[in-house]
Amino acid sequence: MDLLRLRLFADEHHGLITRAAALRLGASNASWYRSIHGGPLELVHPGVARLPGAPPTRLQTIAAAVLAVPGALASHRTAAWLWGVPRAHDDPIELIVGARTRSPDLEGVIVHRPRDRRDLKPVLRSNIPTTNVLRLLCDLGAVDAPAVVDAV
């Protein structure tokens, strides 16, 4: 596996690489799994790994969750944090998906599947797909109504 090519991808994704991206960059399935089981990659979520030397951060944790759930956007309390709204450090990572399909169960991650799927066009915050400000305020009100006033 060519770590240099993977590092270029990971540099734009908070030190993370997905299995799909690794395959697109020329890695084989076998080399992906060898790199996970014997190093140098550290599995974060199914299909998402951290490259060596990439320190774990809150942004990386959010990015890993978004990358692990197809079509996901950071939402609710997580989107508020990405938009600069002060939030507790122990808030769960919250994602929203437009499709009603099953997604992987990830520890510490809440996946919302709303009935109202309008306005789910991604906005990049710190290179992480997230909901826009209006959607964030509506979603934040659903899980932490008192926080909406401060967020506004």
Side-chain angles (χ1 to χ4, degrees):
M1 184 174 328
D2 182 1
L3 282 179
L4 178 61
R5 292 182 69 193
L6 297 185
R7 185 160 304 281
L8 292 174
F9 178 91
D11 286 347
E12 295 180 6
H13 295 89
H14 304 282
L16 301 168
I17 185 77
T18 63
R19 182 173 159 267
L23 294 175
R24 279 194 312 272
L25 294 170
S28 66
N29 274 323
S31 64
W32 169 263
Y33 290 110
R34 265 195 315 274
S35 295
I36 295 294
H37 294 295
L41 300 180
E42 177 186 343
L43 192 65
V44 179
H45 292 303
V48 181
R50 178 183 302 115
L51 262 65
T57 64
R58 178 84 170 151
L59 283 173
Q60 186 185 76
T61 303
I62 295 167
V66 170
L67 289 169
V69 178
L73 306 174
S75 67
H76 297 69
R77 290 169 280 207
T78 303
W81 185 81
L82 286 170
W83 280 100
V85 176
R87 295 295 312 163
H89 290 304
D90 61 349
D91 273 351
I93 303 298
E94 291 183 274
L95 308 177
I96 196 166
V97 293
R100 301 294 255 174
T101 58
R102 183 153 166 73
S103 58
D105 292 328
L106 306 176
E107 186 177 333
V109 178
I110 299 169
V111 179
H112 299 275
R113 291 173 183 80
R115 289 189 181 121
D116 176 9
R117 293 182 219 133
R118 289 178 292 194
D119 213 15
L120 287 179
K121 183 177 178 185
V123 176
L124 291 180
R125 300 292 297 171
S126 299
N127 206 28
I128 299 172
T130 188
T131 55
N132 65 43
V133 174
L134 186 56
R135 180 75 196 220
L136 135 69
L137 292 171
C138 294
D139 292 339
L140 184 60
V143 295
D144 188 0
V148 174
V149 172
D150 292 335
V152 171

